[in-house]
Amino acid sequence: MILYHGTNTAFSKIDLSRSKDKRDFGKGFYTTTIYEQAEKWAKNQFIRFGGEGNFVKVFEFNPTKDLKILEFKSMNKDWLEFVKENRTKGGVFHDYDIVKGPVANDNTMRTIALYISGIYTTEQAIEQLSFFKVNDQISFHTEKALTCLNLKEDREV
């Protein structure tokens, strides 16, 4: 499987300690199966934070059977609660090596914020989220998981 990571920083080794906190699936290294999404992430990071440029890293992902993987197929109740916990607590409060699922993007963040603040019930939030088409994300949370990634290409975009 080919995965993409968009960034504003040139790097040769993934350092989980440099990962941003309070993300959908916890602090980790985030990738996607969609090249255009990674390119957009790179450009947004550069616009917001500056950096060394716009880069898309292309990885080959070969998971091993001993990895603990959680996968969300849709923006359902379990996904919503998982995102809420990670975005409010920060760090990594779960014990998964890898988490896969929909990405909470600019379109969905208002609904998620209203859910986190208690204005929307779970049912209301899920109903609102059903109107959005979202892309995917695959996050890596352990050194063990990172060993399954092989950098194939480093593109400046």
PDB file of all heavy atoms in Angstrom, residues 80-109:
ATOM      1  N   LEU A  80     -16.510   9.166  16.559  1.00  0.00           N
ATOM      2  CA  LEU A  80     -16.745  10.489  17.130  1.00  0.00           C
ATOM      3  C   LEU A  80     -16.222  10.571  18.561  1.00  0.00           C
ATOM      4  O   LEU A  80     -15.538  11.531  18.938  1.00  0.00           O
ATOM      5  CB  LEU A  80     -18.247  10.813  17.089  1.00  0.00           C
ATOM      6  CG  LEU A  80     -18.664  12.199  17.548  1.00  0.00           C
ATOM      7  CD1 LEU A  80     -18.038  13.282  16.679  1.00  0.00           C
ATOM      8  CD2 LEU A  80     -20.189  12.314  17.514  1.00  0.00           C
ATOM      9  N   GLU A  81     -16.490   9.561  19.365  1.00  0.00           N
ATOM     10  CA  GLU A  81     -16.017   9.554  20.753  1.00  0.00           C
ATOM     11  C   GLU A  81     -14.493   9.444  20.819  1.00  0.00           C
ATOM     12  O   GLU A  81     -13.852  10.084  21.644  1.00  0.00           O
ATOM     13  CB  GLU A  81     -16.678   8.408  21.528  1.00  0.00           C
ATOM     14  CG  GLU A  81     -16.494   8.483  23.016  1.00  0.00           C
ATOM     15  CD  GLU A  81     -16.994   9.774  23.662  1.00  0.00           C
ATOM     16  OE1 GLU A  81     -17.990  10.379  23.178  1.00  0.00           O
ATOM     17  OE2 GLU A  81     -16.383  10.201  24.664  1.00  0.00           O
ATOM     18  N   PHE A  82     -13.915   8.649  19.935  1.00  0.00           N
ATOM     19  CA  PHE A  82     -12.461   8.492  19.882  1.00  0.00           C
ATOM     20  C   PHE A  82     -11.793   9.826  19.523  1.00  0.00           C
ATOM     21  O   PHE A  82     -10.816  10.241  20.163  1.00  0.00           O
ATOM     22  CB  PHE A  82     -12.101   7.406  18.862  1.00  0.00           C
ATOM     23  CG  PHE A  82     -10.700   6.888  18.959  1.00  0.00           C
ATOM     24  CD1 PHE A  82     -10.341   5.985  19.942  1.00  0.00           C
ATOM     25  CD2 PHE A  82      -9.739   7.288  18.049  1.00  0.00           C
ATOM     26  CE1 PHE A  82      -9.045   5.488  20.033  1.00  0.00           C
ATOM     27  CE2 PHE A  82      -8.438   6.802  18.119  1.00  0.00           C
ATOM     28  CZ  PHE A  82      -8.097   5.903  19.114  1.00  0.00           C
ATOM     29  N   VAL A  83     -12.327  10.509  18.524  1.00  0.00           N
ATOM     30  CA  VAL A  83     -11.802  11.818  18.124  1.00  0.00           C
ATOM     31  C   VAL A  83     -11.944  12.818  19.272  1.00  0.00           C
ATOM     32  O   VAL A  83     -11.015  13.571  19.579  1.00  0.00           O
ATOM     33  CB  VAL A  83     -12.500  12.327  16.840  1.00  0.00           C
ATOM     34  CG1 VAL A  83     -12.160  13.783  16.555  1.00  0.00           C
ATOM     35  CG2 VAL A  83     -12.122  11.448  15.650  1.00  0.00           C
ATOM     36  N   LYS A  84     -13.098  12.815  19.929  1.00  0.00           N
ATOM     37  CA  LYS A  84     -13.327  13.724  21.056  1.00  0.00           C
ATOM     38  C   LYS A  84     -12.283  13.504  22.156  1.00  0.00           C
ATOM     39  O   LYS A  84     -11.682  14.459  22.659  1.00  0.00           O
ATOM     40  CB  LYS A  84     -14.731  13.510  21.632  1.00  0.00           C
ATOM     41  CG  LYS A  84     -15.010  14.304  22.890  1.00  0.00           C
ATOM     42  CD  LYS A  84     -16.362  13.954  23.476  1.00  0.00           C
ATOM     43  CE  LYS A  84     -16.577  14.603  24.823  1.00  0.00           C
ATOM     44  NZ  LYS A  84     -17.868  14.203  25.423  1.00  0.00           N
ATOM     45  N   GLU A  85     -12.053  12.256  22.527  1.00  0.00           N
ATOM     46  CA  GLU A  85     -11.082  11.945  23.587  1.00  0.00           C
ATOM     47  C   GLU A  85      -9.681  12.412  23.198  1.00  0.00           C
ATOM     48  O   GLU A  85      -8.973  13.001  24.011  1.00  0.00           O
ATOM     49  CB  GLU A  85     -11.078  10.443  23.880  1.00  0.00           C
ATOM     50  CG  GLU A  85     -12.340   9.951  24.551  1.00  0.00           C
ATOM     51  CD  GLU A  85     -12.541  10.539  25.940  1.00  0.00           C
ATOM     52  OE1 GLU A  85     -11.603  10.452  26.760  1.00  0.00           O
ATOM     53  OE2 GLU A  85     -13.619  11.098  26.190  1.00  0.00           O
ATOM     54  N   ASN A  86      -9.293  12.147  21.978  1.00  0.00           N
ATOM     55  CA  ASN A  86      -7.945  12.525  21.539  1.00  0.00           C
ATOM     56  C   ASN A  86      -7.776  14.028  21.418  1.00  0.00           C
ATOM     57  O   ASN A  86      -6.728  14.564  21.770  1.00  0.00           O
ATOM     58  CB  ASN A  86      -7.612  11.850  20.202  1.00  0.00           C
ATOM     59  CG  ASN A  86      -7.274  10.400  20.391  1.00  0.00           C
ATOM     60  OD1 ASN A  86      -6.289  10.062  21.026  1.00  0.00           O
ATOM     61  ND2 ASN A  86      -8.102   9.530  19.861  1.00  0.00           N
ATOM     62  N   ARG A  87      -8.796  14.696  20.928  1.00  0.00           N
ATOM     63  CA  ARG A  87      -8.682  16.146  20.750  1.00  0.00           C
ATOM     64  C   ARG A  87      -8.768  16.902  22.072  1.00  0.00           C
ATOM     65  O   ARG A  87      -8.234  17.997  22.192  1.00  0.00           O
ATOM     66  CB  ARG A  87      -9.745  16.642  19.776  1.00  0.00           C
ATOM     67  CG  ARG A  87      -9.381  16.274  18.343  1.00  0.00           C
ATOM     68  CD  ARG A  87     -10.253  16.993  17.336  1.00  0.00           C
ATOM     69  NE  ARG A  87      -9.685  16.868  16.017  1.00  0.00           N
ATOM     70  CZ  ARG A  87      -8.903  17.782  15.443  1.00  0.00           C
ATOM     71  NH1 ARG A  87      -8.599  18.870  16.085  1.00  0.00           N
ATOM     72  NH2 ARG A  87      -8.436  17.595  14.228  1.00  0.00           N
ATOM     73  N   THR A  88      -9.414  16.329  23.075  1.00  0.00           N
ATOM     74  CA  THR A  88      -9.514  17.028  24.362  1.00  0.00           C
ATOM     75  C   THR A  88      -8.399  16.642  25.335  1.00  0.00           C
ATOM     76  O   THR A  88      -7.913  17.485  26.070  1.00  0.00           O
ATOM     77  CB  THR A  88     -10.885  16.787  25.029  1.00  0.00           C
ATOM     78  OG1 THR A  88     -11.102  15.389  25.177  1.00  0.00           O
ATOM     79  CG2 THR A  88     -12.005  17.397  24.211  1.00  0.00           C
ATOM     80  N   LYS A  89      -7.988  15.388  25.333  1.00  0.00           N
ATOM     81  CA  LYS A  89      -6.964  14.930  26.289  1.00  0.00           C
ATOM     82  C   LYS A  89      -5.543  15.148  25.794  1.00  0.00           C
ATOM     83  O   LYS A  89      -4.654  15.446  26.581  1.00  0.00           O
ATOM     84  CB  LYS A  89      -7.163  13.444  26.610  1.00  0.00           C
ATOM     85  CG  LYS A  89      -8.392  13.170  27.416  1.00  0.00           C
ATOM     86  CD  LYS A  89      -8.502  11.693  27.724  1.00  0.00           C
ATOM     87  CE  LYS A  89      -9.738  11.407  28.559  1.00  0.00           C
ATOM     88  NZ  LYS A  89      -9.912   9.973  28.783  1.00  0.00           N
ATOM     89  N   GLY A  90      -5.323  14.938  24.527  1.00  0.00           N
ATOM     90  CA  GLY A  90      -3.982  15.059  23.986  1.00  0.00           C
ATOM     91  C   GLY A  90      -3.142  13.829  24.278  1.00  0.00           C
ATOM     92  O   GLY A  90      -3.575  12.900  24.958  1.00  0.00           O
ATOM     93  N   GLY A  91      -1.930  13.823  23.760  1.00  0.00           N
ATOM     94  CA  GLY A  91      -1.047  12.679  23.929  1.00  0.00           C
ATOM     95  C   GLY A  91      -1.588  11.468  23.186  1.00  0.00           C
ATOM     96  O   GLY A  91      -2.262  11.582  22.174  1.00  0.00           O
ATOM     97  N   VAL A  92      -1.271  10.302  23.711  1.00  0.00           N
ATOM     98  CA  VAL A  92      -1.790   9.048  23.169  1.00  0.00           C
ATOM     99  C   VAL A  92      -2.366   8.283  24.347  1.00  0.00           C
ATOM    100  O   VAL A  92      -1.633   7.786  25.193  1.00  0.00           O
ATOM    101  CB  VAL A  92      -0.691   8.211  22.481  1.00  0.00           C
ATOM    102  CG1 VAL A  92      -1.258   6.913  21.941  1.00  0.00           C
ATOM    103  CG2 VAL A  92      -0.030   9.002  21.360  1.00  0.00           C
ATOM    104  N   PHE A  93      -3.675   8.219  24.433  1.00  0.00           N
ATOM    105  CA  PHE A  93      -4.303   7.529  25.563  1.00  0.00           C
ATOM    106  C   PHE A  93      -4.738   6.116  25.196  1.00  0.00           C
ATOM    107  O   PHE A  93      -5.289   5.396  26.013  1.00  0.00           O
ATOM    108  CB  PHE A  93      -5.472   8.350  26.130  1.00  0.00           C
ATOM    109  CG  PHE A  93      -6.729   8.271  25.302  1.00  0.00           C
ATOM    110  CD1 PHE A  93      -7.708   7.336  25.591  1.00  0.00           C
ATOM    111  CD2 PHE A  93      -6.922   9.124  24.236  1.00  0.00           C
ATOM    112  CE1 PHE A  93      -8.857   7.245  24.831  1.00  0.00           C
ATOM    113  CE2 PHE A  93      -8.068   9.043  23.472  1.00  0.00           C
ATOM    114  CZ  PHE A  93      -9.030   8.106  23.772  1.00  0.00           C
ATOM    115  N   HIS A  94      -4.476   5.705  23.956  1.00  0.00           N
ATOM    116  CA  HIS A  94      -4.841   4.354  23.528  1.00  0.00           C
ATOM    117  C   HIS A  94      -3.567   3.526  23.335  1.00  0.00           C
ATOM    118  O   HIS A  94      -2.457   4.067  23.394  1.00  0.00           O
ATOM    119  CB  HIS A  94      -5.665   4.404  22.238  1.00  0.00           C
ATOM    120  CG  HIS A  94      -4.965   5.071  21.092  1.00  0.00           C
ATOM    121  ND1 HIS A  94      -3.977   4.447  20.361  1.00  0.00           N
ATOM    122  CD2 HIS A  94      -5.093   6.311  20.557  1.00  0.00           C
ATOM    123  CE1 HIS A  94      -3.543   5.262  19.419  1.00  0.00           C
ATOM    124  NE2 HIS A  94      -4.202   6.408  19.520  1.00  0.00           N
ATOM    125  N   ASP A  95      -3.735   2.239  23.108  1.00  0.00           N
ATOM    126  CA  ASP A  95      -2.561   1.369  22.946  1.00  0.00           C
ATOM    127  C   ASP A  95      -2.467   0.758  21.550  1.00  0.00           C
ATOM    128  O   ASP A  95      -1.900  -0.309  21.371  1.00  0.00           O
ATOM    129  CB  ASP A  95      -2.543   0.283  24.022  1.00  0.00           C
ATOM    130  CG  ASP A  95      -3.720  -0.677  23.910  1.00  0.00           C
ATOM    131  OD1 ASP A  95      -4.668  -0.380  23.161  1.00  0.00           O
ATOM    132  OD2 ASP A  95      -3.688  -1.724  24.571  1.00  0.00           O
ATOM    133  N   TYR A  96      -2.977   1.465  20.561  1.00  0.00           N
ATOM    134  CA  TYR A  96      -2.913   0.983  19.178  1.00  0.00           C
ATOM    135  C   TYR A  96      -1.620   1.453  18.525  1.00  0.00           C
ATOM    136  O   TYR A  96      -1.173   2.580  18.747  1.00  0.00           O
ATOM    137  CB  TYR A  96      -4.114   1.485  18.361  1.00  0.00           C
ATOM    138  CG  TYR A  96      -5.409   0.919  18.859  1.00  0.00           C
ATOM    139  CD1 TYR A  96      -6.244   1.662  19.676  1.00  0.00           C
ATOM    140  CD2 TYR A  96      -5.780  -0.384  18.534  1.00  0.00           C
ATOM    141  CE1 TYR A  96      -7.431   1.128  20.161  1.00  0.00           C
ATOM    142  CE2 TYR A  96      -6.961  -0.929  19.007  1.00  0.00           C
ATOM    143  CZ  TYR A  96      -7.779  -0.165  19.823  1.00  0.00           C
ATOM    144  OH  TYR A  96      -8.944  -0.690  20.304  1.00  0.00           O
ATOM    145  N   ASP A  97      -1.052   0.588  17.688  1.00  0.00           N
ATOM    146  CA  ASP A  97       0.116   0.971  16.909  1.00  0.00           C
ATOM    147  C   ASP A  97      -0.300   1.886  15.765  1.00  0.00           C
ATOM    148  O   ASP A  97       0.387   2.856  15.450  1.00  0.00           O
ATOM    149  CB  ASP A  97       0.800  -0.276  16.322  1.00  0.00           C
ATOM    150  CG  ASP A  97       1.332  -1.210  17.388  1.00  0.00           C
ATOM    151  OD1 ASP A  97       2.147  -0.766  18.218  1.00  0.00           O
ATOM    152  OD2 ASP A  97       0.916  -2.392  17.399  1.00  0.00           O
ATOM    153  N   ILE A  98      -1.430   1.556  15.160  1.00  0.00           N
ATOM    154  CA  ILE A  98      -1.927   2.276  13.985  1.00  0.00           C
ATOM    155  C   ILE A  98      -3.437   2.464  14.115  1.00  0.00           C
ATOM    156  O   ILE A  98      -4.136   1.562  14.584  1.00  0.00           O
ATOM    157  CB  ILE A  98      -1.625   1.487  12.695  1.00  0.00           C
ATOM    158  CG1 ILE A  98      -0.109   1.352  12.501  1.00  0.00           C
ATOM    159  CG2 ILE A  98      -2.282   2.122  11.478  1.00  0.00           C
ATOM    160  CD1 ILE A  98       0.295   0.408  11.390  1.00  0.00           C
ATOM    161  N   VAL A  99      -3.921   3.636  13.694  1.00  0.00           N
ATOM    162  CA  VAL A  99      -5.360   3.891  13.643  1.00  0.00           C
ATOM    163  C   VAL A  99      -5.686   4.404  12.245  1.00  0.00           C
ATOM    164  O   VAL A  99      -5.008   5.286  11.717  1.00  0.00           O
ATOM    165  CB  VAL A  99      -5.816   4.911  14.711  1.00  0.00           C
ATOM    166  CG1 VAL A  99      -7.321   5.121  14.637  1.00  0.00           C
ATOM    167  CG2 VAL A  99      -5.400   4.466  16.106  1.00  0.00           C
ATOM    168  N   LYS A 100      -6.740   3.826  11.644  1.00  0.00           N
ATOM    169  CA  LYS A 100      -7.193   4.208  10.303  1.00  0.00           C
ATOM    170  C   LYS A 100      -8.626   4.710  10.392  1.00  0.00           C
ATOM    171  O   LYS A 100      -9.415   4.176  11.164  1.00  0.00           O
ATOM    172  CB  LYS A 100      -7.202   2.995   9.371  1.00  0.00           C
ATOM    173  CG  LYS A 100      -5.899   2.304   9.174  1.00  0.00           C
ATOM    174  CD  LYS A 100      -6.132   1.083   8.281  1.00  0.00           C
ATOM    175  CE  LYS A 100      -4.880   0.321   7.980  1.00  0.00           C
ATOM    176  NZ  LYS A 100      -5.144  -0.786   7.044  1.00  0.00           N
ATOM    177  N   GLY A 101      -8.955   5.688   9.559  1.00  0.00           N
ATOM    178  CA  GLY A 101     -10.343   6.124   9.511  1.00  0.00           C
ATOM    179  C   GLY A 101     -10.510   7.473   8.849  1.00  0.00           C
ATOM    180  O   GLY A 101      -9.557   8.057   8.336  1.00  0.00           O
ATOM    181  N   PRO A 102     -11.734   7.993   8.880  1.00  0.00           N
ATOM    182  CA  PRO A 102     -12.018   9.297   8.280  1.00  0.00           C
ATOM    183  C   PRO A 102     -11.270  10.418   9.002  1.00  0.00           C
ATOM    184  O   PRO A 102     -11.020  10.341  10.208  1.00  0.00           O
ATOM    185  CB  PRO A 102     -13.530   9.468   8.478  1.00  0.00           C
ATOM    186  CG  PRO A 102     -14.055   8.099   8.746  1.00  0.00           C
ATOM    187  CD  PRO A 102     -12.940   7.362   9.413  1.00  0.00           C
ATOM    188  N   VAL A 103     -10.938  11.441   8.253  1.00  0.00           N
ATOM    189  CA  VAL A 103     -10.260  12.601   8.829  1.00  0.00           C
ATOM    190  C   VAL A 103     -11.302  13.673   9.154  1.00  0.00           C
ATOM    191  O   VAL A 103     -12.206  13.933   8.368  1.00  0.00           O
ATOM    192  CB  VAL A 103      -9.172  13.147   7.880  1.00  0.00           C
ATOM    193  CG1 VAL A 103      -9.740  13.603   6.556  1.00  0.00           C
ATOM    194  CG2 VAL A 103      -8.391  14.264   8.519  1.00  0.00           C
ATOM    195  N   ALA A 104     -11.175  14.241  10.348  1.00  0.00           N
ATOM    196  CA  ALA A 104     -12.013  15.392  10.710  1.00  0.00           C
ATOM    197  C   ALA A 104     -11.345  16.607  10.069  1.00  0.00           C
ATOM    198  O   ALA A 104     -10.257  17.000  10.478  1.00  0.00           O
ATOM    199  CB  ALA A 104     -12.101  15.535  12.224  1.00  0.00           C
ATOM    200  N   ASN A 105     -11.988  17.170   9.061  1.00  0.00           N
ATOM    201  CA  ASN A 105     -11.363  18.270   8.325  1.00  0.00           C
ATOM    202  C   ASN A 105     -12.070  19.589   8.606  1.00  0.00           C
ATOM    203  O   ASN A 105     -12.920  19.676   9.495  1.00  0.00           O
ATOM    204  CB  ASN A 105     -11.337  17.943   6.828  1.00  0.00           C
ATOM    205  CG  ASN A 105     -12.732  17.736   6.260  1.00  0.00           C
ATOM    206  OD1 ASN A 105     -13.728  18.187   6.815  1.00  0.00           O
ATOM    207  ND2 ASN A 105     -12.812  17.048   5.136  1.00  0.00           N
ATOM    208  N   ASP A 106     -11.708  20.607   7.840  1.00  0.00           N
ATOM    209  CA  ASP A 106     -12.295  21.936   8.053  1.00  0.00           C
ATOM    210  C   ASP A 106     -13.816  21.911   7.945  1.00  0.00           C
ATOM    211  O   ASP A 106     -14.504  22.655   8.639  1.00  0.00           O
ATOM    212  CB  ASP A 106     -11.733  22.935   7.031  1.00  0.00           C
ATOM    213  CG  ASP A 106     -10.254  23.202   7.245  1.00  0.00           C
ATOM    214  OD1 ASP A 106      -9.750  22.904   8.343  1.00  0.00           O
ATOM    215  OD2 ASP A 106      -9.597  23.692   6.315  1.00  0.00           O
ATOM    216  N   ASN A 107     -14.354  21.049   7.089  1.00  0.00           N
ATOM    217  CA  ASN A 107     -15.807  20.981   6.914  1.00  0.00           C
ATOM    218  C   ASN A 107     -16.515  20.388   8.128  1.00  0.00           C
ATOM    219  O   ASN A 107     -17.639  20.775   8.449  1.00  0.00           O
ATOM    220  CB  ASN A 107     -16.154  20.139   5.678  1.00  0.00           C
ATOM    221  CG  ASN A 107     -15.653  20.766   4.402  1.00  0.00           C
ATOM    222  OD1 ASN A 107     -15.588  21.979   4.274  1.00  0.00           O
ATOM    223  ND2 ASN A 107     -15.273  19.931   3.460  1.00  0.00           N
ATOM    224  N   THR A 108     -15.891  19.439   8.786  1.00  0.00           N
ATOM    225  CA  THR A 108     -16.544  18.729   9.885  1.00  0.00           C
ATOM    226  C   THR A 108     -16.236  19.313  11.261  1.00  0.00           C
ATOM    227  O   THR A 108     -16.897  18.961  12.233  1.00  0.00           O
ATOM    228  CB  THR A 108     -16.126  17.241   9.886  1.00  0.00           C
ATOM    229  OG1 THR A 108     -14.711  17.162  10.057  1.00  0.00           O
ATOM    230  CG2 THR A 108     -16.540  16.553   8.606  1.00  0.00           C
ATOM    231  N   MET A 109     -15.240  20.185  11.356  1.00  0.00           N
ATOM    232  CA  MET A 109     -14.782  20.649  12.676  1.00  0.00           C
ATOM    233  C   MET A 109     -15.844  21.417  13.458  1.00  0.00           C
ATOM    234  O   MET A 109     -15.896  21.315  14.677  1.00  0.00           O
ATOM    235  CB  MET A 109     -13.505  21.478  12.543  1.00  0.00           C
ATOM    236  CG  MET A 109     -12.274  20.621  12.316  1.00  0.00           C
ATOM    237  SD  MET A 109     -12.145  19.152  13.391  1.00  0.00           S
ATOM    238  CE  MET A 109     -12.102  19.879  15.003  1.00  0.00           C
TER     239      MET A 109
END
